[in-house]
Structures are given as structure tokens and as C-alpha cells.
């Protein structure tokens, strides 16, 4: 269930071993079906689709209890109920649970009125981090060195002006430093196993400048992250969390996505998400070798077998470049015709993932949201994967098109691969 880039990537991976119906899907997902994959789209709500396994893509329906409704009708569902989805639906609740589980996170406090919030901000050394408690499509976080800006942001959030009810409670945190990493684990309520880590690019502009977004690109593998870091994340940030969820009588079956910062003091969690990352899924899922549909079904049934994991993450390197619309993230413009999809698709080892596209009344493909397309390149090396992704991205045009030119550059340079080649 879903209509974005993550769901397109999920459908492509699930269709390797299953027949996939996506509600509502998007024109790119429908096109994948026409290309001969076992994928179709339907307008029917999930409750009216009969299937052996429901996989819920986005956070909003999870927070709203869709998994509970499907389970109460006897459906097998991959995705947490509303109780577990609070991990993402309320940052304040997440921080409390994480501290009970002794998961390393940033120091923080929660506020719903201005005066104590400002007082707390003034007691911090900075940088200042201000988060909406509720869901804000990845845009509710301000990180700034300016106390003045942080105070203005707190006022706008608490008053409801900037994010409505989602911002009427805020979490204020100390700023952490270090490279970021996304570790996603498949969880069956008791046990979990990790997928390959990925790195996401949250800021809109090159060199991590500009506003926070839902994610402007991603790559995997992440060369500087060895298996020992993934193991540490499982032991310190995922397993204790599952234990704490169970203590709260929460049977969590779905993805636990730990957004981490690799600080001098070790990995610290900056957020948990309750679903696959977007665009992380676009680079992680193609690397997963095995029967994804069967594994998700086993997780949904509470029966993962960890002794012999059926899914390994050692497929070829992947780089995803997100093409965004004019005005994203503040006010994305929609309805701009998109050109060059077929040229992009003809670049070898490239997948054009649709994230926010629609067909207009005359059947033209147009933009329909902020993050429009994800261009995923695959290759024997990260460098080649990146070159393919950018070559294909260069084929696409629409009015206001924007993308970062530095996705995976630093990682490739670190590998000694002259990563700056060919840019955007
Ligand atoms: P979140 O939605 O909580 O992941 O926050 C969005 C982005 O804000 C993260 O990907 C980080 O880049 C940044 N961020 C969040 N929390 C912190 C923090 N405590 N210190 C520094 N940066 C942060
Ligand atoms: N790319 C970040 C997220 O999915 O939340």
C-alpha cells in the first residue's frame, strides 16, 4: 500500500517471487506491470483487496491504525499497529521509550509551552535541534547554530503556525556531530535481522546545505561501516528497543528503521521510523538476495528464522538520485510535464523509480509532488552505479527540476575511486 518511490521499489522486489497488487500505486508502478512484471495497481482501499500478505509502505496509515484494521479481519500484515507506530508518530514517546531501553540518543526535553522551551534552548551550547512531536513528512526538524532562529522556530511550531497540530508539542535536543547512517531491521515481534545499511542525504543542496527534506538521494553499501557497527546498532539500538516494546505489550511486526549519527561516542539514534526509508529502500532492496515476499510474510506471522537468514544483502552497489520539483520542500509545484523517461530507462542497469508522478487529463506524465523521481543506478562498483544514475538523471527534464550532484561522491573518494567524476 502506497504511492511513492519506496512502494515502487518494494513492488519491484516483491514481484520477483510474488504477484503484487499496489493500492493506489502510481503511473511508474503501473508501467512496471505493463513491462511484464507481476505488478498491477488498483484504486480499491487496502481493506477491499484480498491477498496473502499486506505490506504497508508509508508511516501515516500505520500511525492511523491500518495494520490493526487489516489484522482484525484476519489479514497477515507486515507493518506495526498504531501502538508500535507511535515510535515515529510521536518523537516525545519515542525518546521516552528509547531512554527506558537505554538506547544512546541525544539529550533532550519535551515542551508544549514557549517560555520553558526558550529557557531550555538558552541553556544548551548549540547547535540547536527543534523537532515537531508529530509527523511532518520529514520536514519538522530544524538544526541551526542560531539561537534566535531556534527560538523563532519553537514559537512557530508551538503556535501551530508551521506544522499545525503536529508541532504543538516539540522535542528540543542537543546537536550531535558525525556522519549519518540508516540501519533497517526486519522484525517479527521478538527477533530482528538487519538489512545492508544505507546513507541518505537529507538536505536539499549540495554539500549538505539548504533545508531538510524527506531525502534527496541514497547509496549502499556504505564502505566505512563494517559489520561490527551494524552489530553494535543491533545490540544497542534495535534489540533493547524490541524488548522495551514487548514490555509495553507491543507486538511489533515490521521494519524498525534506526536513523543514526556515528558520533565520537559511538552510534546514537536520532530517530526511529516504522517503515522502509525513502529513498533508502530504493538502494537497499535491490541488494537483498532471496525471497523478500516470503521473509516479510514470516516476519508478519512472528516466525522469522534467524539461524539461516533467507535474505542476504550482498547484491551489487546502488546509487539513487532524487529529482525534486520546483519549490520543494516548502511549496512543491505540481502539474509540470516530465520528459525523457524512456531515454533514462534505456541507460543500462538503471531503474527509474516514480515517487510523485501522475497522468494529466490528456495522458501526459506530470509531476504530482515534491520528490518526483528516483533514478537508481547499479554497477559492479559504487562509482559505476553513480555514473549510471547520473547519466540517466541527465536524460530527464521538467520545469523546475532539481537534484543534488554530490550523492555518494565522498564515499567514492574514500574508496580511492576519483569519485568526483561526471557530477550532475
Ligand atoms: P529526524 O527527522 O529526526 O531524522 O531529523 C532529520 C534530520 O535532522 C536528521 O537526518 C539529521 O540530519 C538532523 N538531526 C536530527 N536530530 C539531530 C541532532 N540531535 N543533532 C544533529 N542533527 C540532527
Ligand atoms: N529518507 C528518510 C526517511 O525515509 O525517513
Amino acid at each position: 500500500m502506497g504511492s511513492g518511490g519506496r512502494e515502487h521499489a518494494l513492488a519491484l522486489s516483491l514481484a520477483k517471487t510474488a504477484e503484487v497488487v499496489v493500492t493506489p500505486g502510481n503511473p511508474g508502478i503501473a508501467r512496471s506491470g505493463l513491462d511484464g512484471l507481476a505488478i498491477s495497481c488498483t484504486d480499491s482501499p487496502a481493506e477491499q483487496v484480498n491477498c496473502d500478505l499486506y505490506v504497508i509502505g508509508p508511516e501515516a496509515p500505520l500511525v492511523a491504525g491500518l495494520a490493526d484494521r487489516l489484522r482484525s479481519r484476519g489479514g497477515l500484515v507486515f507493518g506495526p499497529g498504531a501502538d508500535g507506530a507511535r515510535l515515529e508518530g510521536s518523537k516525545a514517546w519515542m525518546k521516552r521509550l528509547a531512554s527506558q531501553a537505554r538506547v544512546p540518543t541525544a539529550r533532550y526535553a519535551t515542551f508544549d509551552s514557549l517560555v520553558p522551551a526558550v529557557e531550555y534552548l538558552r541553556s544548551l551550547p548549540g547547535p540547536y535541534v527543534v523537532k515537531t512531536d508529530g509527523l511532518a513528512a520529514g520536514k519538522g526538524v530544524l538544526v541551526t547554530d542560531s539561537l534566535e532562529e531556534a527560538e523563532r522556530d519553537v514559537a512557530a511550531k508551538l503556535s501551530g503556525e508551521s506544522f499545525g497540530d503536529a508541532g504543538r508539542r516539540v522535542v528540543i535536543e542537543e546537536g550531535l556531530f558525525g556522519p549519518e547512517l540508516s540501519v533497517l531491521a526486519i522484525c517479527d515481534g521478538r527477533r530482528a535481522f538487519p538489512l545492508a545499511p544505507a546513507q541518505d542525504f537529507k538536505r536539499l543542496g549540495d554539500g549538505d546545505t539548504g533545508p531538510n527534506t524527506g531525502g534527496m538521494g541514497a547509496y549502499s553499501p556504505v564502505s566505512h561501516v563494517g559489520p561490527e557497527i551494524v552489530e553494535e546498532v543491533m545490540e544497542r539500538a534495535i534489540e533493547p528497543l524490541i524488548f522495551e516494546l514487548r514490555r509495553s505489550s507491543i507486538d511489533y511486526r515490521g521494519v524498525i528503521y534506526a536513523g543514526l549519527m556515528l558520533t565520537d561516542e559511538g552510534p546514537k539514534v536520532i530517530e526511529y521510523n516504522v517503515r522502509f526509508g525513502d529513498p533508502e529502500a530504493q538502494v537497499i532492496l535491490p541488494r537483498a538476495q532471496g525471497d523478500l515476499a516470503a521473509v516479510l510474510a514470516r516476519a508478519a506471522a512472528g516466525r522469522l528464522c534467524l539461524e539461516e537468514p533467507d535474505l542476504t544483502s550482498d547484491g551489487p552497489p546502488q546509487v539513487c538520485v532524487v529529482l525534486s520539483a520546483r519549490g520543494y520542500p516548502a511549496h512543491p509545484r505540481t502539474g509540470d510535464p516530465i520528459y525523457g523517461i524512456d531515454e533514462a530507462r534505456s541507460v543500462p542497469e538503471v531503474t527509474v523509480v516514480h515517487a510523485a508522478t501522475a497522468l494529466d487529463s490528456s495522458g501526459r506524465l506530470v509531476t504530482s509532488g515534491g520528490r518526483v523521481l528516483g533514478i537508481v543506478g547499479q554497477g559492479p562498483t559504487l562509482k559505476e552505479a553513480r555514473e549510471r544514475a547520473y547519466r540517466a538523471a541527465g536524460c530527464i527534464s521538467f520545469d523546475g527540476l532539481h537534484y543534488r550532484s554530490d550523492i555518494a561522491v565522498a564515499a567514492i573518494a574514500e574508496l580511492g575511486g576519483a569519485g568526483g567524476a561526471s557530477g550532475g
Side-chain angles (χ1 to χ4, degrees):
M1 194 234 150
S3 63
R6 162 186 43 222
E7 289 75 30
H8 195 173
L10 267 168
L12 292 172
S13 285
L14 291 167
K16 289 179 186 163
T17 53
E19 184 186 338
V20 183
V21 179
V22 187
T23 170
N26 67 37
I29 298 175
R31 168 90 185 253
S32 296
L34 297 176
D35 289 344
L37 299 175
I39 300 174
S40 60
C41 294
T42 175
D43 290 332
S44 303
E47 287 93 332
Q48 285 170 26
V49 178
N50 267 322
C51 60
D52 300 317
L53 172 69
Y54 295 89
V55 180
I56 301 171
E59 61 276 16
L62 290 165
V63 171
L66 177 61
D68 303 307
R69 290 200 298 283
L70 293 169
R71 286 192 180 106
S72 71
R73 294 155 180 256
L76 186 62
V77 186
F78 184 76
D83 53 1
R86 275 185 89 195
L87 263 188
E88 183 166 356
S90 168
K91 298 241 188 221
W93 188 79
M94 176 287 257
K95 293 290 287 193
R96 209 166 50 235
L97 197 78
S99 77
Q100 284 162 6
R102 299 182 185 282
V103 173
T105 72
R107 274 189 301 139
Y108 79 105
T110 303
F111 300 94
D112 33 35
S113 61
L114 186 60
V115 173
V118 166
E119 220 164 83
Y120 184 71
L121 273 176
R122 290 182 181 166
S123 76
L124 294 175
Y128 309 94
V129 182
V130 182
K131 303 185 174 185
T132 59
D133 176 45
L135 291 183
K139 291 174 276 186
V141 178
L142 174 78
V143 183
T144 179
D145 288 317
S146 155
L147 179 61
E148 223 187 348
E149 190 187 6
E151 290 184 11
R152 269 201 311 275
D153 187 66
V154 166
K157 279 175 177 154
L158 287 176
S159 69
E161 182 193 324
S162 50
F163 290 98
D165 286 344
R168 288 187 198 278
R169 170 170 294 165
V170 297
V171 169
I172 297 177
E173 287 182 5
E174 65 174 341
L176 300 175
F177 299 93
E180 289 187 44
L181 185 73
S182 307
V183 174
L184 282 67
I186 306 277
C187 179
D188 74 352
R190 293 167 184 276
R191 293 150 300 185
F193 73 90
L195 298 169
Q199 197 145 36
D200 180 18
F201 291 74
K202 294 291 280 187
R203 300 291 188 110
L204 184 68
D206 280 3
D208 294 329
T209 54
N212 260 318
T213 70
M216 294 300 296
Y219 68 89
S220 181
V222 184
S223 55
H224 56 272
V225 172
E228 69 290 348
I229 294 187
V230 176
E231 216 165 279
E232 186 180 354
V233 170
M234 291 304 290
E235 280 170 14
R236 301 197 63 192
I238 303 276
E239 282 152 12
L241 185 81
I242 295 171
F243 184 81
E244 206 55 42
L245 285 163
R246 289 196 66 77
R247 260 180 18 123
S248 310
S249 306
I250 296 173
D251 187 1
Y252 190 107
R253 301 181 186 188
V255 173
I256 296 181
Y257 163 140
L260 303 145
M261 208 161 256
L262 305 178
T263 74
D264 293 343
E265 300 164 15
K268 292 195 179 180
V269 170
I270 48 183
E271 67 171 340
Y272 287 111
N273 293 322
V274 299
R275 35 117 192 131
F276 288 99
D278 188 344
E280 289 93 327
Q282 286 85 317
V283 296
I284 292 172
L285 292 174
R287 299 194 60 223
Q289 311 283 307
D291 187 340
L292 180 69
V295 170
L296 299 191
R298 274 200 293 280
R303 286 203 298 265
L304 279 177
C305 30
L306 298 189
E307 294 69 34
E308 293 168 68
D310 301 284
L311 209 58
T312 58
S313 289
D314 43 14
Q318 311 280 330
V319 174
C320 176
V321 179
V322 169
L323 277 47
S324 65
R326 184 189 299 287
Y328 180 73
H331 304 288
R333 191 172 75 186
T334 60
D336 288 308
I338 302 168
Y339 306 99
I341 296 270
D342 287 332
E343 290 85 333
R345 281 165 52 105
S346 70
V347 177
E349 304 289 311
V350 160
T351 306
V352 175
V353 171
H354 289 232
T357 66
L359 298 175
D360 72 4
S361 54
S362 47
R364 281 184 316 180
L365 189 74
V366 297
T367 63
S368 67
R371 292 188 292 164
V372 178
L373 296 166
I375 311 296
V376 184
Q378 163 175 305
T381 63
L382 205 55
K383 183 166 179 280
E384 282 160 276
R386 176 176 189 277
E387 281 166 2
R388 286 170 182 159
Y390 274 105
R391 200 180 327 142
C395 300
I396 306 275
S397 60
F398 55 82
D399 195 22
L401 172 139
H402 164 79
Y403 55 88
R404 283 182 63 155
S405 68
D406 62 349
I407 306 301
V409 165
I412 292 165
E414 221 166 277
L415 289 168
S422 84

